[in-house]
Amino acid sequence: MPEGRILRAILSRTPAASHALIGPGDDAAVIATPSGSVVATTDTLVHGPDFRLAWSSGYDLGWKSAAVNLADVAAMGARPTALLVALAVPRELRVSFVERLADGFRDACAALAPGCAVVGGDLTVSDTLTVAVTALGDLEGRAAVTRSGARPGDVVAVAGELGHAARGLAVLFGRFRDGDVPVPVDPAALAAGEREAVNAQLRPSPPIGLGAVAATAGATAMMDISDGLAIDARRMAAASGVSIALDSALLGADPARALAGGEDHALLATFPEGLLPPAFRAIGRVRAAGDEDLLCDEQPVDLSGWDPYRDWDSAAG
């Protein structure tokens, strides 16, 4: 099919955002920004290291591609307003797959960030399916919440799930491979808990709206947990010049997986004492910088997290 027909198939499934003054079809989109500032982020998902077509449907991939970018906007305390999507698509990929990908983008925006929509992008051909997304957001007059503002005495808190996506990845690698080759998921072979975990990996649902809630409540620092609590908490501690002490009893039933597992895209934030919003749960405290930037139960944390330059198999454990 020619490019124009493929683009029309995608755009017919992604209605324009109400604040898009100019949407898809011109050289660039024009987005109204009442606050006068724009939050912008970008993320790329590549077949192989980031997803496997044997496991992810087009709908799953569209949903996840939207969700991971929406979470980055939310982590700044902003409301997502628009997505720009660049697709590099193999010639042999069916148009129906791309249409379902567009459906995933549309439904993820509607469910996680109402009012946000795809407003444009690019389409090219490639041997490797690649989805690159730029997300924009509006701070609505609030100051951005960065990862560098945590202060000694602050409560460390999280909103969203920890370790569920990592468990789902472990199920996929453990149950749905023929040697090193991924095979399609058989839903009937999954127990209820496994099905939820696999869905958390393939179609995450981060608490996007809680980013603005945290900013309004007085969060001093915030970021989304994309690569695992341990590595991302270390990043926050380093950026803020502090140490973070976690309590394993507050991390759920599987603290090790909560620490090491990524891709849930929960929000990690710090708050002054007494300002913790109801949707966030405390998991530790911020301390003055010490010999270790991250402790759990007063012990150094050796676990790392997702690193794109390691073999993907190592993240499935």
Side-chain angles (χ1 to χ4, degrees):
M1 291 178 66
E3 180 183 25
R5 287 184 62 188
I6 298 172
L7 287 172
R8 285 194 293 273
I10 295 171
L11 296 177
S12 68
R13 291 171 139 78
T14 55
S18 60
H19 49 275
L21 304 179
I22 299 175
D26 218 303
D27 290 306
V30 178
I31 310 299
T33 56
S35 71
S37 61
V38 177
V39 170
T41 186
T42 189
D43 196 80
T44 303
L45 280 75
V46 180
H47 182 245
D50 298 311
F51 64 91
R52 305 291 175 91
L53 287 175
W55 296 334
S56 293
S57 67
Y59 188 89
D60 292 335
L61 182 57
W63 181 291
K64 184 169 185 174
S65 299
V68 301
N69 282 275
L70 296 172
D72 281 331
V73 172
M76 302 299 292
R79 177 180 61 84
T81 56
L83 301 178
L84 298 162
V85 180
L87 301 178
V89 181
R91 294 182 185 275
E92 65 272 14
L93 195 70
R94 291 182 176 273
V95 172
S96 60
F97 182 95
V98 181
E99 290 175 335
R100 289 295 286 155
L101 185 144
D103 291 343
F105 269 103
R106 178 198 63 212
D107 291 353
C109 287
L112 303 176
C116 182
V118 175
V119 299
D122 188 39
L123 177 65
T124 189
V125 65
S126 170
D127 292 336
T128 303
L129 177 59
T130 302
V131 184
V133 182
T134 296
L136 306 177
D138 183 9
L139 287 165
E140 301 175 313
R142 294 180 294 272
V145 184
T146 69
R147 61 181 66 177
S148 61
R151 301 172 300 192
D154 284 351
V155 176
V156 180
V158 68
E161 303 297 339
L162 295 175
H164 284 205
R167 183 190 178 198
L169 189 61
V171 170
L172 292 171
F173 270 98
R175 303 266 298 279
F176 298 100
R177 287 196 299 176
D178 183 1
D180 291 332
V181 180
V183 298
V185 177
D186 177 8
L190 296 172
E194 292 176 329
R195 189 176 301 113
E196 292 174 0
V198 169
N199 284 340
Q201 167 59 223
L202 300 181
R203 201 182 299 176
S205 293
I208 304 301
L210 294 181
V213 170
T216 302
T220 54
M222 186 160 54
M223 63 186 299
D224 91 301
I225 303 174
S226 56
D227 297 329
L229 175 60
I231 193 170
D232 286 329
R234 279 196 179 101
R235 288 168 175 160
M236 180 179 285
S240 298
V242 297
S243 176
I244 289 179
L246 303 176
D247 183 343
S248 65
L250 303 176
L251 298 182
D254 191 342
R257 181 161 279 155
L259 283 165
E263 296 193 281
D264 287 302
H265 298 282
L267 293 177
L268 175 67
T270 58
F271 298 88
E273 182 70 40
L275 295 184
L276 187 67
F280 283 78
R281 60 187 185 278
I283 59 171
R285 287 278 181 174
V286 179
R287 296 178 179 174
D291 293 337
E292 299 290 339
D293 55 5
L294 181 65
L295 300 168
C296 187
D297 298 338
E298 303 303 329
Q299 298 298 316
V301 177
D302 295 327
L303 295 170
S304 58
W306 167 246
D307 183 332
Y309 292 98
R310 300 185 315 175
D311 185 348
W312 207 41
D313 282 345
S314 67

